[in-house]
Amino acid sequence: MSSIPLNPGAIGTGGRTRARENYLNIKHTVSSWLLTADHKRIAVLYMISISVMFLFGGVAAAGIRIALVRPHDTFFSSETYNKLFSAHGIIMVFFFLVPSIPATLGNFLLPIMIGARDLAFPRLNLLSWYLYMFGAVLVMGAIMFGGIDTGWTFYEPYSSVYSNTNVVAVIVGVFIAGFSSIATGINFLVTVHKMRAPGLTWFRLPLFVWAMYATSIIIVLGTPVVAITLLMVVLERVFGVCVFNPACGGDPILFEHLFWFYSHPAVYIMILPSMGIISEVIACFARKRIFGYEFVAFSSMAIALLGFLVWGHHMFVTGESMYSGMVFSLITFLIAVPSAIKVFNWSATLYKGNVWLTSPLIFAIGFILLFTIGGLTGLFLASLAVDVHLNMTYFVVAHFHYVMVGGAIFGYMAGLHFWWPKITGRMYPEGWAMLSAFIMFIGFNLTFFPQFILGFDGMPRRYHFYPPEFQMWNILSSAGSSVLAVGMVIPGIYFLWSLKYGAFAPNNPWGAKGLEWTIQSPPPSHNFDTVPIVTEDAYAYEAIYAAELAGDYSHVEAPIPYLSTTDKQVSVESPASPNSSEERK
Amino acid sequence: MEEPNHNNHEAAGGHHHVTSIGTYAATYVALLVLLVLTFAVSRVDLGAFNIVVALGISAVKTALVVLIFMGVRHNSRLTWFWASIGFVWLILLFLTLGDYVTRQWVHLPLGW
Amino acid sequence: MSLELQHPAVAPQRLSHQFEQIDQQNDSYIVGMWTFLVTEIMFFGALFVALTVYRSVYPDAFEQAHNALNVWLGLTNTFILLTSSFTAAMAVRSKMLGQRALTLVFLGFTILCAFGFLGVKYVEYSAEFREHHFPGPNFQWSQTVSSAPAQGDLAANSQVALGAPKVGVNEFPASYQPQQLELHKRELFFSLYFVMTGLHAFHVIIGICTLSTLWLLIYFKHPVVDDYMPVELAGLYWHFVDIVWIFLYPLVYLIGKQ
Ligand code: HEM
Ligand SMILES: [Cu+2]
């Protein structure tokens, strides 16, 4: 392995026959994976694990949607139905969305983006994966053998006094997973502070790094609170101590306070990383600097801070005092501002950009549309009077799916497609990717838009049976969810397919900026042979923009079929990839 | 915030601060004095001020431990930042109390 | 008051592959440890919030209940922990200067203090178990319980407490007994007491494990502890355990009301 020039586009086009030595092929033993301290391998381990968990969560969701097709479902017992939605929520929130982007793309990219050889604490990183696995296995075991029916919120006193299900095992699992995310958070914070390459000042950092930094702050400051709160639920169940149990003078609302002190910021743990990805993808495919870089960076930090001040909006209709409800409502309106700033800046970046419509960009645009709907409906819910009507209805369910699926998962998909060539060294079939983006977008809206209407009409969430008037919208929603499922299975198939049959990825398929695109695909074990020296801001796309306007696409190294998706003529003579026929379906 | 600090490749082996035994011992004595003080004050009924005094003394003790025993006064600005942010964030958590204070302002029948 | 040595002869350190400079590495470890301690602060913080909330809601019950604790044992334990913090700081200092024997002495003394702390805790806990002050079905409260409704209850506005009947409520279920609730308020205090001190004791145990491991490694001259960083980090952790107790002692043992 020779030293890697830090000049994008200097080496590699598609169609090579054999990959050079890299982090994937350097060793093949099982222990070289399970005992690795390489952030890239750990990212891959995480990617596999969260995908499996996503599958489990998806199966539970399918069960819910099947049950809701009929007003009086007989397919599942009501107990099973309760266990299904609880399993779905717990798996998706704690074992998919919270670790998703930070532990996979974040783990992989953060050190590379800042020009470091690894995270500050590589072994802590590995420990984090083991903790995650331990928690995940425990929770899956508890769900398979008996289940849990408290919902993902574990509300008191049901969870501690009344539920007869595996609450203790699940909570212990979630607790352990919490420590895994704390480990990741600590690692990222120290890494961003101490490991940046020379010349890489804070305002030259890619926005994805800013997003990871803000996310880590939330993780570190919030997770312990929910951990101790859940631990007390366990102690109540096991030892009969009383902390929240109203039967002995405890206050269940205190549980909700402490739970949401973490869990509201946690929704930003899920969305901020996606926002970071969207900034990267949009800047790259618009060939422009992000409009208002500082604003986007600071809005991440503002979200991290303000996110800790709005938790009470989940408790407007509990016994929370109405004065604190008013304050929380007000601050909730404020927090929409930094989110809106980002949406505005992304749109402004696309405006008059030299837009290259690829699948990552389609996912990113999907993100913007859906997140906007999700965020705006959040404002409905943040209005005290309206929330009295809407809370605990399907409106809330629709709201948070618009932000968590339409936002977080679309962002994850955008990032996965954008960096897949870097991570695996293979190209995926672009045509299929675009198709799946469209199917997901349509399926998603079919699934969740009807739920706004259902909620507005008063259908409560978490009920097995519902009045027959609601059936039409429920059928629509269930039908939509199967479309959504198809949209998610397709990427699963072509990603796996690409591992074996995809064209070899060049170092910089998209002609993108950023340190990760200056090294080989997949990267070598130590990322950089010599520490890179950064001399320019992130997203310095001016030269590329000018070149493309002049018809010069030599910086784009993607195999030909990618470029043929635009109407621009290609001047680069890359050999066609062996699977070009596949890619046009 | 601080610049990335490995741009200049000096020889390894930076500067370490070794606090003198005298400083440590003095801190230890101060902590013990404060301990006796908390105890003594708590035996006097000051009403609402008992808790204020107790928290004040605890804060001073904490500051001594953090700055001298844990050596933060010689550490980087970054350490200062992280050493304080935990305590600052606790204030946010304590905003929960706002709910409990204002609940008494509304007079609604029990079990509304 | 400082007689600082500016250029002490500090033992050499090894650089891990991901770092460029020893300063960067040291600072990373210290900042990382502090970040971890921040999580610990939030962890205990939630318990302090619960304590504050319930104490402001049930001032009289908490006043009574906390009188059942032994302030003298608490005082002894605070003294022990402060001492151990001092010796831990000295251990780190000796390690930095490469004084192996002194390091072992100070570390050993710190570990002894930790055991002493647990011993005192054991005495306290067993007394409380004897008196049935451990929360749960066996909880008992022998002292006379005032059945007068506690002042300042938040019962008026929420479902939280079934305090004395207030305006708008005419009936309580037949099973309702004010005595029972007064008992439970004390149980609530002891729940928090056991959770907080128990969790703290758990941290002490972790501390003992870490410090003992380090002691053995240093004793057997294991290369891992050539560097002073492991001792430094363990020291930071140990001081944190001390800080928690610095707040716990006055808030739980000394002050009942607010
Ligand atoms: C513009 C920003 C947002 C605002 C103003 C907002 C507002 C709200 C409000 C007021 C509620 C409470 C509704 C109720 O229970 O009656 C809520 C629920 C929820 N939100 Fe948001 N939200 C925003 C963004 C997000 C984001 C980005 C996510 C996740 C990625 C998210 C996830 C959730 C979840 C999961 C719930 C429901 C929790 C549950 O009860 O199970 N929200 N939101
Ligand atoms: Cu929220």
Side-chain angles (χ1 to χ4, degrees), chain A residues 260 263-264 267 310-311 313-314:
Chain A
W260 289 113
S263 294
H264 180 80
V267 307
V310 300
W311 75 86
H313 67 214
H314 294 273

Side-chain angles (χ1 to χ4, degrees), chain A residues 37 116-123 175 179 182 185-186 189-190 193-196 219-225 227-229 231-232 235 239-254 258 261 308 318-319 526 531, chain C residues 16-20 23-25 27-33 35-44 46-47 49-51 53-54 57-58 134-137 154 157-162 181 184-185 187-189 191-192 194-195 199:
Chain A
R117 279 187 291 266
D118 206 321
L119 288 171
F121 312 120
R123 272 170 300 171
F175 186 88
F179 279 91
I182 287 178
I186 293 178
L189 286 174
V190 176
H193 274 293
K194 303 302 301 182
M195 317 278 286
R196 279 169 290 129
I219 290 178
V220 162
L221 293 170
T223 316
V225 177
I228 185 72
T229 312
L231 190 67
M232 282 193 275
L235 294 180
F239 294 110
V241 306
C242 48
V243 182
F244 302 120
N245 180 2
C248 49
D251 184 2
I253 297 174
L254 182 62
L258 297 176
F261 183 85
F308 275 99
T318 62
H526 289 285
V531 178
Chain C
S16 299
H17 81 100
Q18 71 271 30
F19 294 110
E20 297 290 319
D23 262 358
Q24 177 199 19
Q25 170 172 323
D27 205 28
S28 294
Y29 278 115
I30 289 182
V31 171
M33 190 63 195
T35 320
F36 172 70
L37 294 184
V38 166
T39 70
E40 291 273 35
I41 292 174
M42 298 306 286
F43 198 68
F44 279 96
L47 289 172
V49 168
L51 181 72
V53 164
Y54 288 131
V57 176
Y58 305 126
F134 186 77
L154 81 174
N157 310 315
S158 69
Q159 311 91 316
V160 170
L162 301 170
L181 182 68
H184 280 320
K185 290 177 184 171
E187 194 180 346
L188 199 62
F189 174 83
S191 297
L192 287 171
F194 274 104
V195 171
L199 210 64

